[in-house]
Amino acid sequence: MTHPLYPYSPMVSRPKLEFPDGKRLAFYIGLNIEHFRTDVPLDRANGPLPDPLSFGWRDYGNRAGIWRMIDVFDKVGIRASAIVNSDVCTRYPEIIQAGVERDWAWVAHGQTNSTFMTGMTPEEEEQHLKEMFATLDATLPARPKGWLGPGLTETYDTPGLLAEAGLTYLLDWCADDQPFPLNVPGLISVPYSVDVNDFLMYVTNPGLTGPDFERVVFDQFEVLLEESATTGKVMALPLHTFIMGQPHRSKYLARLLKTITSTPEVWVCTSDDIAEHYLAGYAGSSEPA
């Protein structure tokens, strides 16, 4: 497959990718912290407004779930890559403060997860991003370097606009197990995941249990760890506060994080760390060098 944003590069043809201190597998938590509008239908097309079922489920994450997850992260000793809507910064300042105190990395995620980039005109998108950055700049320690579109949405103009704003990496393109350069100067893709993304796993498999989730994540981890003996790989674990922050799932999250982070070959890092490492040593061509 070809795409105007990046060239095709087969994994088997690339030189070896290495990480700091001889680590083989880069692992990060992509913690989605989101705000949803009460006047926009959520799960049910043309659904009821207000929608207590859908909105309440998501609001649980900001009111209760995230604090349970923070306790897990603190006990394990892991920094999150916080993928944050700018509306979160003004509506839930306590969450932002907790992340700042823990030195989280911050990834821009649009204004709200009720507004997708798809269908915006260039002028609308430029204004949308301008407003988003104004809020992020006013509340975070520094402007984020990374981006994940709400619902993994972009327009064809999005990458260029983000590069102009000083961002260096995108998470939207789940096309690889390694970072890769994009056809926008200074911009790269860092691996994210739809396959071990808790939202997609639980929405598409409503009967999935905590042990099921744990087994799938461990399967992903074990294979990537084995493959990383040849060349460095990246494992992203995308989480949502209203899903893995539920009481019946949190113990499985804690258990798998303890195992992964205690594995000697694993570089426990953030998406920022991965982007900085790759940009410093590997981004001069279409493949690691």
Side-chain angles (χ1 to χ4, degrees):
M1 298 176 67
T2 60
H3 193 284
L5 187 59
Y6 56 86
Y8 172 66
S9 171
M11 177 74 70
V12 295
S13 300
R14 302 174 199 168
K16 185 176 182 179
L17 175 63
E18 298 179 330
F19 292 127
D21 302 320
K23 302 294 185 179
R24 294 172 12 197
L25 179 63
F27 174 80
Y28 78 93
I29 293 289
L31 179 63
N32 289 263
I33 310 172
E34 299 163 340
H35 173 70
F36 295 84
R37 292 168 50 181
T38 57
D39 61 341
V40 176
L42 291 168
D43 295 324
R44 293 170 279 184
N46 301 314
L49 290 176
D51 187 348
L53 172 62
S54 300
F55 183 85
W57 179 43
R58 288 165 171 80
D59 206 28
Y60 181 90
N62 294 323
R63 299 171 64 88
I66 190 167
W67 307 107
R68 185 172 291 115
M69 296 178 77
I70 286 175
D71 285 344
V72 170
F73 298 157
D74 286 350
K75 290 174 182 176
V76 174
I78 191 171
R79 293 170 59 214
S81 297
I83 301 167
V84 62
N85 297 145
S86 61
D87 278 9
V88 169
C89 297
T90 54
R91 294 175 182 270
Y92 318 112
E94 296 89 346
I95 294 176
I96 301 301
Q97 182 59 36
V100 171
E101 290 172 355
R102 289 162 174 80
D103 192 29
W104 286 352
W106 299 95
V107 177
H109 195 35
Q111 292 185 25
T112 166
N113 257 47
S114 297
T115 304
F116 288 179
M117 314 300 290
T118 308
M120 289 188 181
T121 67
E123 295 76 20
E124 290 172 339
E125 183 174 17
E126 188 170 6
Q127 181 62 30
H128 180 87
L129 293 175
K130 180 179 179 181
E131 293 171 358
M132 177 198 73
F133 281 122
T135 301
L136 296 176
D137 290 344
T139 53
L140 298 179
R143 175 169 291 193
K145 293 294 186 181
W147 163 269
L148 180 75
L152 279 75
T153 59
E154 295 183 4
T155 73
Y156 287 108
D157 297 309
T158 305
L161 291 171
L162 294 173
E164 290 175 5
L167 274 65
T168 59
Y169 69 94
L170 308 180
L171 298 179
D172 290 335
W173 299 92
C174 303
D176 216 302
D177 295 321
Q178 294 180 337
F180 59 88
L182 301 173
N183 293 331
V184 177
L187 202 62
I188 66 170
S189 174
V190 167
Y192 192 65
S193 179
V194 292
D195 285 88
V196 293
N197 186 311
D198 62 349
F199 180 80
L200 292 171
M201 288 177 67
Y202 279 101
V203 168
T204 58
N205 299 281
L208 198 75
T209 66
D212 292 334
F213 177 81
E214 183 183 30
R215 183 65 265 163
V216 170
V217 173
F218 273 137
D219 287 345
Q220 182 94 338
F221 169 68
E222 289 166 357
V223 172
L224 287 173
L225 182 63
E226 181 179 359
E227 293 178 347
S228 70
T230 301
T231 185
K233 298 289 182 74
V234 174
M235 178 174 173
L237 183 59
L239 303 175
H240 293 71
T241 60
F242 55 94
I243 297 178
M244 290 312 294
Q246 297 288 343
H248 66 282
R249 298 185 183 122
S250 63
K251 74 173 186 179
Y252 299 102
L253 175 63
R255 200 156 64 188
L256 67 88
L257 289 181
K258 286 177 183 176
T259 299
I260 292 173
T261 59
S262 63
T263 302
E265 298 87 353
V266 172
W267 179 29
V268 181
C269 57
T270 67
S271 54
D272 276 11
D273 294 331
I274 296 167
E276 290 171 8
H277 176 76
Y278 187 82
L279 283 164
Y282 295 95
S285 65
S286 61
E287 298 178 351

